[in-house]
Amino acid sequence: MTTWRALYGFLFVSLALTAYVAGVALGPLRWLFWDPPLFRRFNEALVWYSGIPLVIGAVLIGWDLFRNVVRLRHAKSIRNDPPANRFFTVALTAYNDERSIGPAVQDFRAHPLVRRVIVISNNSTDRTMAVAEEAGALVFNEPRQGYGACVHRALQQALRFEDTELTVLCEGDLTFRANDLDKFLAYIPHADVVNGSRIVEQLQDRRTQLSLFMHYGNLFAGKVLELKHLGMVSLTDVGTTYKVCRNESLRRLLQNLDPRINLEFNAYFLDTALKLGLRILECPITFHPRVGTSKGGNLNNRVATRLGLRMLLGIFVDWKGFARD
Ligand SMILES: Nc1nc2c(ncn2[C@@H]2O[C@H](COP(=O)(O)OP(=O)(O)O)[C@@H](O)[C@H]2O)c(=O)[nH]1
Ligand SMILES: [Mg+2]
């Protein structure tokens, strides 16, 4: 069930608070410099009428909380279904990542529960494919350019192996490490997809891509997505690639995912899975400095802001608008 009322209620509350704070901030300016009567009336109206969206928002949030979420919480249960087969197929995305892909493949291959590592290169023009192969990975090229196309192909390719039930999706840029697979394994009995969260202070290296802005931006977007699926999930991050999926659930999910959605793909993946009623559970993971240059949303705060706004648009409205051929 999608809790649209709570989501839009939050939008109304945000609008109200913005108007209220702007109104209060204008007060001293008026007092100090300039106070024509019309401007004064506008300023007072801004503060006074900000109460309207505030009430509308509170009613909408309350409606979902007390009518729908209460019902969901009553029907709640803990799933405890350990997979019969605990081995992983690991799929790593790579785009001109020749500096990191070798050690990334070796790191995952060294984990005792990893059956194989596959690398999906996305038209890399450097030695990514050769290095991955030398490190012992099965290597594929995805010709459709873009992070979404690369991730979609990685999941599709991993599902072809029938000797594993668990698919790991990760990036080959050394920001994520194989060590965390043990944490994922502890969580998987309770979920269809265990999604890594990088937004855990104690598990971030000092020099990661996550600036203060990106840290709180991801947390904010995670909470907004949670508002859309109240009572079903707890989220603190929308941008991690690193996740473990049960193959039976992933098969169903993948049919509903459009590979043309690009850098917004992770938030889109979570939103779509939740709409299908899949159980998503977050697991704290360690996050390390990137080796090689970022080509994604973590390049700088400006790029991250644009990506964040697009993710919010996808959550509030729809993802279809972001599909690019
Ligand atoms: N941005 C981007 N990433 C791609 C593409 N194709 C594959 N990828 C891979 O997707 C992952 C995310 O990109 P990355 O540069 O690490 O972005 P960041 O995690 O935001 O710094 C990496 O493993 C890339 O190699 C593409 O066309 N664009
Ligand atoms: Mg990365």
Side-chain angles (χ1 to χ4, degrees), residues 26-35:
L26 283 179
L29 287 183
R30 244 181 51 211
W31 181 64
L32 279 174
F33 305 112
W34 192 52
D35 196 14

Side-chain angles (χ1 to χ4, degrees), residues 85-93 108-109 111-120 137-138 140 153-170 181 184-185 242-247 250-251:
N85 175 349
R86 289 156 28 101
F87 287 96
F88 300 108
T89 289
V90 177
L92 302 179
T93 59
F108 279 99
R109 283 193 67 217
H111 192 282
L113 290 176
V114 170
R115 268 275 149 81
R116 66 183 61 76
V117 176
I118 65 175
V119 169
I120 312 295
L138 293 167
F140 303 88
R153 171 74 184 277
L155 295 172
Q156 212 173 38
Q157 204 72 49
L159 280 176
R160 301 226 170 113
F161 298 98
E162 293 190 345
D163 57 350
T164 50
E165 278 175 31
L166 299 173
T167 291
V168 177
L169 176 70
C170 193
L181 286 178
F184 280 113
L185 202 59
Y242 202 6
K243 48 178 77 45
V244 176
C245 314
R246 285 176 187 263
N247 284 0
L250 185 58
R251 274 193 196 95

